[in-house]
Amino acid sequence: MAKRELPPATLAVAQAVAAVLPDGDVVVGCSGGADSTALALGAAWAAGRRGTRATAVIVDHGLQPRSGEIARQAAARLGAHGVDARIVPVHVAPSGEGLEAAAREARLAALADRGLPVLLGHTLDDQAETVLLGLLRGSGTRSLAGMAEVRGPFVRPLLALRRAETEQACRDWGVDWWCDPMNDDDAFARVRARGLLSEVAARLGRDVAPALARTASLARADADALDAMADAVETGDLPESARIAALEGLPDALRWRVLHRWMARLGVAAEQGNVLAVDALLTRWRGQGASRCPAGPFGASAPTCASPGVRAATSRARLCHVDATDVSQDLEKVLFTSDQIQARIDEVASQIDADYEGRDILLVGVLNGAVMVMSDLQRAMRSHVEMDWMAVSSYGAGTQSSGVVRILKDLNADLEGRDVIVVEDIIDTGLTLSYLMSNLASRGPASLEIMTMFRKPDAAQMEVPVKYVGFEIPNEFVVGYGLDYAGRYRNLRDVGTLAKHVYS
Ligand SMILES: O=P(O)(O)OC[C@H]1O[C@H](OP(=O)(O)OP(=O)(O)O)[C@H](O)[C@@H]1O
């Protein structure tokens, strides 16, 4: 058939195939539907002009009651139009990925079996559905990239054409096609996506498929470029600290890809939550401990991240496991870094030294929270200090003061005539210290003052005279540097606000 004899829709199909037709013979995957029937006819036309052969292969999955008959009818229709058509029966063994995926695997394997390029009949509408499904999967640029025009032996010449065009092309060629009832079966995600696209188009008053298909080609170009850049990141020969610095310096898009590959290689479930948890150890490490990730779907049952390779690659946090429960997810923001806290402790210690020049001081720490500040403060002081401890509790496992202060452990020291400074991690409502101060004042100290690392002025319910304050902070629940929530987070070096999802 000469080109000028082809009506517009058939010409569009034939030209689309001719534009990408590989040299030599090809196989055309054909289901008997309009898309692949038009593709087979277009390929036969284009191959004929080149003097090569296009053989339509109809894979019979044996999954529908009349599948053999349907395949024979499809072959006959093509044969009547001069297309060489073969039927290849396959056995579909259900796999963990579901029957649809297993059928697809078996089909592609059968089509590629001859070692020839394989043309597939996916259209722009299929591409739009694939992008929508990818968007809902939420795995980023790659999942928006849809189907590639060429991937391995598979070539998709019709990605720029609409389904309506392939149907029109079949009509123009005078060939009937098979309407697969599965295409209307809502049990399939793709069918539901198709319905959703029609609804979106109706609601917006415009066809959205072309925009989604354009998104696919833009996203594919971006994803290919970023993947190539991530492939080129090679930190293997660098010492650990340089390796960490090299990764830290990368933009998120590259660093996450590098971490994703590395975790996948170790058999760890490299879903984004886990990647971010590991990433936080690299880029936002503030003393949080190891992070544990479950093994990936094909990995061994236990995480393999305890290997020295894992530690070397990711962690100055001495990472030994990788986990989505990494505490960085539990913090909303860091208010004070360890360095800022230490610098402020030095200032307060100097001030106390100056105020108590020539006097011995008894520091009374309030367990448990004050352990860190007591330890750092006294080491920053030049004065002679003794220390003693009280244990009281008013918060228990919650984020609100119970208002009832209990002495869990009393002092060993006698306060009579002593210069006493009570050391606290935080004053919040003031209930704890207001109770404690009147209790301690009744024991006859020469002087009694308070040093607290943090104070929340907006939360005060009781006025407590505080001589030394590290930092005033907003009225938010904070953790780290001795401050806990339900016993956790005390060992973080920085102090940050606790994300609400942890306690709501
Ligand atoms: O000003 P307030 O509202 O009374 O809160 C301050 C108190 O709360 C915390 O103790 P917590 O009872 O939580 O025990 P902990 O030190 O063992 O964490 C903190 O260490 C203070 O002692």
Side-chain angles (χ1 to χ4, degrees):
M1 204 178 321
K3 182 172 153 184
R4 65 179 172 280
E5 294 166 17
L6 297 178
T10 48
L11 184 62
V13 170
Q15 286 185 327
V17 178
V20 295
L21 191 69
D23 293 335
D25 296 347
V26 295
V27 161
V28 183
C30 194
S31 65
D35 301 338
S36 58
T37 299
L39 176 69
L41 288 163
W45 177 84
R49 283 165 61 96
R50 291 230 192 129
T52 57
R53 278 163 69 90
T55 304
V57 170
I58 301 157
V59 176
D60 176 7
H61 302 91
L63 294 175
Q64 294 190 44
R66 295 170 39 245
S67 68
E69 189 188 328
I70 292 163
R72 280 191 296 281
Q73 287 171 355
R77 281 193 296 270
L78 290 171
H81 283 74
V83 179
D84 177 24
R86 314 250 164 103
I87 298 171
V88 177
V90 293
H91 172 67
V92 179
S95 71
E97 304 277 295
L99 194 61
E100 235 182 313
R104 181 172 172 276
E105 284 287 303
R107 178 170 66 250
L108 293 182
L111 292 172
D113 196 36
R114 298 172 170 211
L116 293 176
V118 178
L119 308 190
L120 300 173
H122 298 105
T123 63
L124 183 148
D125 297 270
D126 295 310
Q127 184 72 303
E129 290 155 20
T130 306
V131 173
L132 179 62
L133 291 170
L135 178 67
L136 299 178
R137 227 181 8 258
S139 47
T141 332
R142 181 56 70 194
S143 66
L144 294 182
M147 296 174 282
E149 195 177 43
V150 179
R151 182 157 187 219
F154 302 106
V155 183
R156 296 183 173 88
L158 305 186
L159 281 179
L161 296 192
R162 305 304 300 263
R163 197 168 281 142
E165 287 178 282
T166 63
E167 290 175 356
Q168 185 57 46
C170 286
R171 278 185 218 103
D172 291 347
W173 259 308
V175 65
D176 217 356
W177 65 87
W178 155 242
C179 292
D180 187 345
M182 280 161 81
N183 287 341
D184 297 319
D185 185 346
D186 249 6
F188 297 103
R190 181 167 287 278
V191 175
R192 293 197 298 276
R194 190 170 303 160
L196 199 58
L197 279 181
S198 319
E199 276 174 43
V200 173
R203 293 286 294 264
L204 295 181
R206 70 182 171 90
D207 183 9
V208 292
L212 290 176
R214 196 164 54 249
T215 297
S217 48
L218 292 169
R220 175 164 297 281
D222 290 354
D224 288 349
L226 287 167
D227 282 350
M229 287 157 87
D231 284 342
V233 173
E234 191 36 84
T235 60
D237 295 337
L238 299 173
E240 178 174 344
S241 55
R243 216 179 302 173
I244 291 165
L247 289 184
E248 267 180 325
L250 295 176
D252 292 351
L254 280 182
R255 202 177 57 254
W256 292 345
R257 275 176 164 78
V258 172
L259 289 177
H260 184 282
R261 282 145 203 241
W262 166 75
M263 289 166 70
R265 271 203 306 279
L266 291 167
V268 173
E271 58 193 47
Q272 187 65 356
N274 297 339
V275 171
L276 291 180
V278 174
D279 190 43
L281 290 169
L282 269 180
T283 57
R284 281 176 293 122
W285 187 65
R286 62 185 73 80
Q288 73 265 34
S291 191
R292 268 167 281 277
C293 285
F298 310 110
S301 56
T304 51
C305 300
S307 72
V310 172
R311 285 179 220 172
T314 63
S315 178
R316 63 189 165 200
R318 288 163 293 285
L319 167 68
C320 52
H321 297 287
V322 191
D323 186 358
T325 61
D326 168 21
V327 292
S328 66
Q329 315 286 327
D330 301 352
L331 293 187
E332 209 157 64
K333 63 174 179 293
V334 171
L335 294 179
F336 302 102
T337 64
S338 168
D339 288 347
Q340 289 169 320
I341 293 168
Q342 294 307 320
R344 182 66 188 132
I345 287 268
D346 286 346
E347 287 171 5
V348 174
S350 306
Q351 197 188 332
I352 296 175
D353 281 334
D355 292 349
Y356 287 79
E357 179 96 49
R359 289 147 72 190
D360 287 356
I361 304 170
L362 176 66
L363 296 179
V364 169
V366 185
L367 289 169
N368 294 321
V371 166
M372 312 296 180
V373 55
M374 267 286 263
S375 157
D376 287 339
L377 180 71
Q378 58 183 294
R379 283 180 296 169
M381 287 168 63
R382 286 180 289 103
S383 312
H384 284 297
V385 288
E386 287 175 50
M387 66 171 164
D388 201 350
W389 297 93
M390 282 189 90
V392 297
S393 182
S394 62
Y395 276 74
T399 61
Q400 301 283 315
S401 169
S402 65
V404 180
V405 179
R406 290 184 299 138
I407 294 191
L408 305 176
K409 179 211 168 296
D410 209 339
L411 296 172
N412 298 329
D414 183 358
L415 299 193
E416 185 74 41
R418 304 290 307 264
D419 288 313
V420 176
I421 301 177
V422 177
V423 179
E424 262 289 25
D425 50 346
I426 193 163
I427 299 176
D428 192 311
T429 60
L431 293 170
T432 308
L433 268 191
S434 126
Y435 166 83
L436 207 54
M437 290 303 274
S438 47
N439 182 301
L440 297 181
S442 70
R443 304 185 193 194
S447 67
L448 182 61
E449 301 291 354
I450 297 171
M451 182 275 162
T452 183
M453 194 62 223
F454 301 101
R455 180 168 63 173
K456 299 180 188 174
D458 297 340
Q461 293 178 22
M462 302 293 286
E463 268 316 309
V464 192
V466 187
K467 186 144 188 199
Y468 307 103
V469 179
F471 297 106
E472 300 215 314
I473 61 172
N475 189 9
E476 287 174 292
F477 200 79
V478 290
V479 291
Y481 196 65
L483 291 155
D484 73 311
Y485 170 65
R488 300 182 65 195
Y489 312 107
R490 289 194 201 275
N491 56 334
L492 302 189
R493 286 164 192 261
D494 297 350
V495 165
T497 48
L498 195 60
K500 296 230 169 21
H501 73 82
V502 177
Y503 55 87
S504 58

